[in-house]
């Protein structure tokens, strides 16, 4: 471990830098194995959920939402309507809305600064030109956790990088509240960040739906976002079996 000094915005900061190859084996194994330890015991059960979503589509989403969350949703109401999003602004105080917009703007600026040139080329030898073109993925999915509250930061850290990268369609899956509605704060954050479609589905069934598609939810090229161990297990299971999985915003 070494300590590096950097100047950021005129402020002196000290950052601890750890080199993976120099870490003690015990610490290395603990970090690498952490997610496996949390999800290995449920991988088989999650695999069954994923298979059922692949076969039954929306019916499985309705079934598992009732079974795991005790929330009733309907096949024709899986997608959040524009009217619900508009009404959400009336349920969140103006100060919070302004805070969401302020934070989203900062996150957008940061990721915009990370964007590489979309196309570049160089002459390798006289007459021989080689280069690269970056093409955004056509559709990506973002998982936003729910349950005990709503998490605008999860929306910003997943939706905004995709939108900045130029992804034309960004969808969000997030669990419903006990009454079957999506928390107003989540809807406002999704709208501010530019999510194109929002679905009231959570858990491993949501990851399966975005990976393989259902009658309502189209499959995506990449999925990102935090979640419970059931969500993490679904990420792992789907990444092993789906050819549509991709770990970058562009190709």
């Amino acid at each position: 471990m070494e300590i590096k000094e950097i100047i950021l915005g005129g402020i002196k900061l000290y950052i601890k830098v750890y080199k993976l190859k120099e870490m003690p084996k015990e610490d290395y194994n603990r970090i690498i194995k952490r997610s496996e330890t949390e999800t290995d015991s449920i991988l088989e059960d999650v695999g069954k959920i994923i298979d059922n979503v692949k076969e039954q589509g929306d019916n499985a989403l309705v079934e598992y939402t009732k079974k795991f969350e005790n929330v009733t949703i309907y096949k024709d109401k899986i997608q959040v309507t524009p009217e619900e999003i508009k009404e959400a602004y009336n349920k969140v105080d103006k100060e919070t809305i302004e805070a969401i917009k302020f934070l989203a703007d900062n996150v957008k600026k940061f990721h915009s600064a990370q964007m590489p040139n979309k196309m570049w080329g160089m002459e390798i030898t006289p007459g021989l030109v080689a280069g690269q073109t970056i093409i955004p993925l056509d559709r990506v999915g973002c998982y936003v956790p729910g349950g005990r509250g709503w998490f605008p930061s999860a929306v910003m850290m997943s939706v905004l990088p995709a939108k900045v990268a130029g992804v034309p369609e960004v969808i969000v899956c997030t669990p419903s509240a006990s009454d079957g509605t999506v928390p107003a704060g989540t809807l406002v954050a999704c709208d501010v960040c530019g999510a194109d479609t929002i679905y009231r589905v959570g858990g491993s069934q949501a990851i399966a739906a975005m990976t393989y598609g259902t009658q309502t939810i189209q499959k995506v090229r990449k999925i990102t976002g935090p979640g419970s161990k059931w969500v993490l297990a679904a990420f792992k299971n789907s990444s092993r079996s789906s050819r549509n999985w991709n770990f970058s915003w562009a190709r």
Side-chain angles (χ1 to χ4, degrees):
M1 186 269 290
E2 61 178 313
I3 297 178
K4 288 191 175 182
E5 176 186 304
I6 65 170
I7 306 297
L8 186 63
I11 301 175
K12 185 180 293 186
L13 301 174
Y14 296 93
I15 298 177
K16 292 182 179 180
V17 179
Y18 295 86
K19 295 182 179 179
L20 199 62
K21 65 180 180 179
E22 297 176 2
M23 291 180 65
K25 186 175 180 180
E26 181 179 311
D27 291 339
Y28 176 85
N29 289 336
R30 175 176 54 82
I31 292 173
I32 297 300
K33 297 290 185 180
R34 182 175 56 189
S35 62
E36 282 81 355
T37 301
E38 293 173 348
T39 61
D40 281 351
S41 63
I42 60 172
L43 277 177
E44 184 176 348
D45 290 335
V46 168
K48 294 176 182 178
I49 294 171
I50 291 173
D51 288 341
N52 195 24
V53 172
K54 287 170 63 177
E55 295 174 4
Q56 301 297 326
D58 288 348
N59 286 330
L61 300 183
V62 172
E63 173 193 343
Y64 287 127
T65 300
K66 181 64 177 178
K67 179 178 179 179
F68 297 133
E69 302 168 26
N70 197 29
V71 175
T72 299
I73 61 173
Y74 300 94
K75 288 189 292 183
D76 61 342
K77 303 280 179 146
I78 290 175
Q79 180 176 332
V80 174
T81 66
E83 290 75 22
E84 288 177 275
I85 297 172
K86 183 177 180 180
E87 180 61 26
Y89 281 87
N90 297 324
K91 299 178 181 179
V92 180
D93 61 89
K94 292 183 179 180
E95 185 178 35
T96 300
I97 293 174
E98 290 305 311
I100 290 173
K101 291 180 178 178
F102 176 79
L103 291 171
D105 186 58
N106 284 342
V107 173
K108 186 176 181 179
K109 288 177 181 176
F110 175 80
H111 288 294
S112 295
Q114 292 181 307
M115 280 291 290
N117 293 328
K118 291 186 176 181
M119 183 174 181
W120 61 268
M122 61 181 294
E123 190 172 35
I124 305 297
T125 60
L128 176 61
V129 177
Q132 182 182 49
T133 298
I134 297 176
I135 304 172
L137 299 174
D138 54 1
R139 184 184 302 109
V140 302
C142 302
Y143 185 82
V144 176
R148 298 181 180 179
W150 59 281
F151 306 94
S153 59
V155 178
M156 296 177 193
M157 297 303 179
S158 56
V159 174
L160 282 175
K163 299 304 290 187
V164 169
V167 176
E169 185 176 357
V170 180
I171 72 170
V172 170
C173 279
T174 188
S176 297
S178 58
D179 62 356
T181 64
V182 175
T186 297
L187 294 181
V188 170
C190 286
D191 189 56
V192 169
C193 293
D196 296 286
T197 316
I198 308 166
Y199 300 101
R200 61 183 96 246
V201 180
S204 51
Q205 61 268 27
I207 304 303
M210 289 189 283
T211 303
Y212 298 102
T214 70
Q215 292 86 347
T216 298
I217 302 175
Q218 289 185 287
K219 64 181 179 180
V220 300
R221 293 289 303 277
K222 172 185 171 70
I223 309 172
T224 188
S228 67
K229 67 178 183 179
W230 291 87
V231 171
L232 297 178
F235 270 115
K236 181 186 297 184
N237 193 306
S238 297
S239 66
R240 289 174 176 172
S241 58
S242 175
R243 295 182 180 179
N244 296 307
W245 195 264
N246 194 297
F247 288 96
S248 61
W249 287 122
R251 59 182 185 274

